[in-house]
């Protein structure tokens, strides 16, 4: 799934003594309540920490919670390990046919598609608005994070985890270039100015701004979309996809400046392993500024177990909010912007025990549950700010994202056409990086989007 959020798999079979029937299936004991998601329950497997959390924390503690209420719950665990798209297809079929899990994990990018297809329903309809609003967890989630499991302003589930994009920079290189250790640009021009100063340091790529098709979704999420948000535009607004607009051309102009002035490495953007190489170069002190998500800090550069461990990460690596093109020009008139991914869980509308499923959904998103998860998998940003305030206290970078980035972040459009539009965005940046003019690249993009979404009337342009 997108954005490195981790998911899990489980089956919970319940005999609900006080709550009626439970679950969409039958395990031979009567009623069953099921949690399903994409994971591998094996040591070192995909999302192994989450699978372990289900077995060692969620199951026994949920059983005890229900027992205290007079409800006997029998719990089983079932792992899955299929690719994301296979998982998506499977749960789509399950929801359509009224089978499968009672509580289902969804990537946030899928919520709109499933809502449009009426495969999921709003929590208010399933559980009751009073009960949903009474859950105290909402007050600890920024509205931007709640949108991970909402569509058109309607809440369909509860978010689990998220992330945020920032500008990472190398303080040692900044010192050599005469730039401040507490750098925080307030416009695109200030980013370019820093890049030009870094260009005077031998052997350094001043700015790594993901571009091209070889970087895939990283180009879109860690490049185009944050910049587009910095112009005051989102990719889908007013019922239309952004096409060849003045704001999109402004984004391509920024790319053109970065790569025509050789502040960025154009050849690296065309390399099949370009993203990994950009990580390695940053870790070796060969890249000055890099736009990435917090995964770069906790996963890539982590001195212990990172894919490109940086021994002096904590002292040499700085981070800054992504500025709007000019102050106040960002979405919602913001001075700074970001992009986030993540996902959460929804209730199967065909569940025979929505009440128990709702209890489980709340339980798995309680502070205690999140703390149990973090204890086994290391620090990461949850959907709950109260949990983050405690669990991330020792990590200044993740705390920065939680406190200063999540309140201003934006999300990708949760619509089925997004994947095709994203690929068109990647091609547009590749065109500019390899020498095509902004006007021609934007025009080609506009046509590609019209084809991707099914007609000119669905695309905004000017």
């Amino acid at each position: 799934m997108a954005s490195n959020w981790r998911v899990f798999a489980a089956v919970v079979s319940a005999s609900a003594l006080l709550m009626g029937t439970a679950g969409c299936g039958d395990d031979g004991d009567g009623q069953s309540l099921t949690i399903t998601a994409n994971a591998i329950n094996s040591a070192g497997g995909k999302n192994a920490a989450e699978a372990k959390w289900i077995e060692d924390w969620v199951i026994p503690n949920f059983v005890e919670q229900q027992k205290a209420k007079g409800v006997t719950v029998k719990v089983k665990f079932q792992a899955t390990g299929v690719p994301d798209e296979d998982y998506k297809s499977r749960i789509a079929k399950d929801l359509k046919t009224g089978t499968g899990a009672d509580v289902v994990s969804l990537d946030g990018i899928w919520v709109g598609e499933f809502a449009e297809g009426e495969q999921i329903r709003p929590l208010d309809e399933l559980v009751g608005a009073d009960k949903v609003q009474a859950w105290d967890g909402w007050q600890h989630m920024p509205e931007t994070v709640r949108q991970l499991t909402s569509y058109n302003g309607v809440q369909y589930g509860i978010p689990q985890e998220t992330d945020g994009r920032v500008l990472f920079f190398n303080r040692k290189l900044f010192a050599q270039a005469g730039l401040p250790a507490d750098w925080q640009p307030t416009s695109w021009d200030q980013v370019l100015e820093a890049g030009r100063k870094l260009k005077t340091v031998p052997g350094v790529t001043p700015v790594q701004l993901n571009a091209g098709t070889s970087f895939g979704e990283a180009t879109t999420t860690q490049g185009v979309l944050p910049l587009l948000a910095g112009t005051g535009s989102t990719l889908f607004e007013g019922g239309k996809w952004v096409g060849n607009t003045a704001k999109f051309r402004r984004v391509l102009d920024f790319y053109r400046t970065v790569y025509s002035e050789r502040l960025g490495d154009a050849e690296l953007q065309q390399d099949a392993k370009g993203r990994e190489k950009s990580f390695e170069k940053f870790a070796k002190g060969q890249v000055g500024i890099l736009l990435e998500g917090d995964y770069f800090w906790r996963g890539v550069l982590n001195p212990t177990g990172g894919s490109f461990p940086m021994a002096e990460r904590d002292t040499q690596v700085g981070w800054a909010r992504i500025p709007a093109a000019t102050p106040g020009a960002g979405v919602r008139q913001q001075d700074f912007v970001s992009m986030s991914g993540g996902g959460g869980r929804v209730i199967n509308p065909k569940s025979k025990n929505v009440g128990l499923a709702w209890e489980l959904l709340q339980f798995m998103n309680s502070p205690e549950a999140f703390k149990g998860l973090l204890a086994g998998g290391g620090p990461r940003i949850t959907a709950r700010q109260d949990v983050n305030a405690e669990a991330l206290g020792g990590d200044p970078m993740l705390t920065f994202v939680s406190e200063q980035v999540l309140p201003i972040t934006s999300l990708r459009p949760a619509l089925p056409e997004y994947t095709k539009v994203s690929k068109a965005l990647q091609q547009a940046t590749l065109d500019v990086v390899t020498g095509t003019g902004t006007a021609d690249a934007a025009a080609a993009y506009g046509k590609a989007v019209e084809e991707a979404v099914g007609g000119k009337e669905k695309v905004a342009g000017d």
Side-chain angles (χ1 to χ4, degrees):
M1 293 186 183
S3 308
N4 299 305
W5 81 287
R6 299 180 181 182
V7 290
F8 60 91
V11 172
V12 181
S13 303
S15 297
L17 301 181
L18 300 180
M19 301 183 68
T21 59
C24 297
D26 191 320
D27 68 351
D29 281 333
Q31 300 85 26
S32 66
L33 181 68
T34 311
I35 315 166
T36 302
N38 187 19
I40 296 175
N41 180 27
S42 60
K46 182 178 180 181
N47 305 321
E50 235 135 335
K52 182 175 175 58
W53 173 62
I54 291 290
E55 288 189 303
D56 296 348
W57 199 95
V58 173
I59 290 175
N61 284 285
F62 185 66
V63 168
E64 287 301 313
Q65 183 209 56
Q66 293 302 308
K67 183 177 180 180
K69 297 180 180 181
V71 180
T72 300
V73 182
K74 179 182 179 182
V75 182
K76 295 180 180 179
F77 184 82
Q78 176 183 325
T80 61
V82 297
D84 294 340
E85 287 304 313
D86 291 342
Y87 170 71
K88 180 184 176 184
S89 297
R90 187 182 68 188
I91 59 175
K93 181 179 179 180
D94 288 346
L95 291 170
K96 184 177 181 179
T97 58
T99 58
D102 295 82
V103 177
V104 181
S105 283
L106 287 183
D107 193 317
I109 199 67
W110 300 342
V111 172
E113 181 178 351
F114 278 73
E116 286 279 354
E118 299 184 346
Q119 293 157 298
I120 58 176
R121 288 173 54 195
L123 283 177
D124 283 0
E125 291 183 15
L126 292 172
V127 181
D130 291 345
K131 290 182 179 180
V132 172
Q133 296 308 314
W135 184 54
D136 62 0
W138 299 124
Q139 64 185 297
H140 301 291
M141 295 183 184
E143 179 58 33
T144 50
V145 176
R146 290 183 61 172
Q147 291 174 11
L148 280 168
T149 53
S150 70
Y151 179 65
N152 284 341
V154 178
Q155 202 73 40
Y156 285 84
I158 298 180
Q160 177 190 2
E161 295 177 10
T162 188
D163 56 13
R165 273 75 185 160
V166 300
L167 294 175
F168 289 97
F169 60 94
N170 187 305
R171 289 194 174 106
K172 184 176 181 180
L173 298 179
F174 265 48
Q176 294 177 39
L179 292 163
D182 58 350
W183 181 66
Q184 176 55 73
T186 58
S187 68
W188 290 0
D189 283 344
Q190 289 188 2
V191 175
L192 294 174
E193 289 170 8
R196 289 166 185 140
K197 290 183 178 180
L198 286 163
K199 195 175 179 180
T200 65
V201 181
V204 170
T205 298
V207 180
Q208 170 53 35
L209 176 62
N210 292 350
T213 56
S214 66
F215 277 67
E217 186 62 19
T219 288
T220 308
T221 312
Q222 276 90 251
V224 180
L225 294 187
L227 291 177
L228 189 61
T231 70
S233 177
T234 58
L235 188 58
F236 185 83
E237 54 191 10
K240 291 187 176 183
W241 293 90
V242 168
N244 183 6
T245 64
K247 290 179 178 179
F248 179 66
R249 292 192 295 274
R250 191 173 187 182
V251 170
L252 293 186
D253 275 336
F254 185 78
Y255 268 97
R256 180 182 57 80
T257 300
V258 168
Y259 288 100
S260 65
E261 292 190 17
R262 296 186 179 180
L263 302 178
D265 184 345
E267 292 185 3
L268 184 64
Q269 310 316 303
Q270 301 170 66
D271 193 309
K273 296 183 178 180
R275 192 179 185 210
E276 290 77 12
K277 290 182 179 179
S278 72
F279 290 167
E280 183 178 16
K281 286 177 176 291
F282 189 98
K284 290 181 176 180
Q286 298 171 357
V287 172
I289 302 168
L290 185 149
L291 197 164
E292 255 295 343
D294 57 81
Y295 165 74
F296 184 62
W297 169 267
R298 59 182 169 82
V300 176
L301 300 181
N302 195 329
T304 305
S307 53
F308 294 101
M310 192 172 179
E312 298 179 313
R313 180 199 67 175
D314 294 355
T315 57
Q316 285 193 12
V317 179
W319 49 86
R321 289 170 292 177
I322 303 166
T326 56
V331 289
R332 302 178 290 273
Q333 292 79 53
Q334 294 174 185
D335 295 330
F336 302 97
V337 298
S338 186
M339 292 299 299
S340 293
R345 306 180 185 96
V346 300
I347 296 174
N348 188 331
K350 301 293 179 65
S351 171
K352 295 178 182 178
N353 196 327
V354 169
L356 187 57
W358 172 238
E359 292 215 15
L360 180 59
L361 199 57
Q362 294 174 86
F363 178 78
M364 299 188 77
N365 288 275
S366 66
E368 295 74 21
F370 275 123
K371 291 173 186 176
L373 174 61
L374 295 173
R380 49 183 142 158
I381 298 170
T382 76
R384 297 187 61 130
Q385 296 290 56
D386 54 342
V387 173
N388 293 338
E390 180 178 342
L392 304 178
D395 192 306
M397 193 277 143
L398 296 181
T399 299
F400 177 84
V401 172
S402 175
E403 295 180 352
Q404 298 195 40
V405 174
L406 294 188
I408 62 169
T409 198
S410 299
L411 305 177
R412 296 167 295 173
L415 294 168
E417 300 91 345
Y418 172 77
T419 301
K420 292 181 179 179
V421 175
S422 177
K423 291 179 179 178
L425 291 171
Q426 297 161 28
Q427 183 61 49
T429 63
L430 178 62
D431 291 344
V432 170
V433 167
T434 54
T436 301
T438 293
D440 290 340
Y445 162 76
K447 292 179 181 179
V449 173
E450 290 174 10
E451 182 177 345
V453 303
K456 188 175 183 179
E457 69 279 2
K458 299 180 181 180
V459 179
D462 52 36

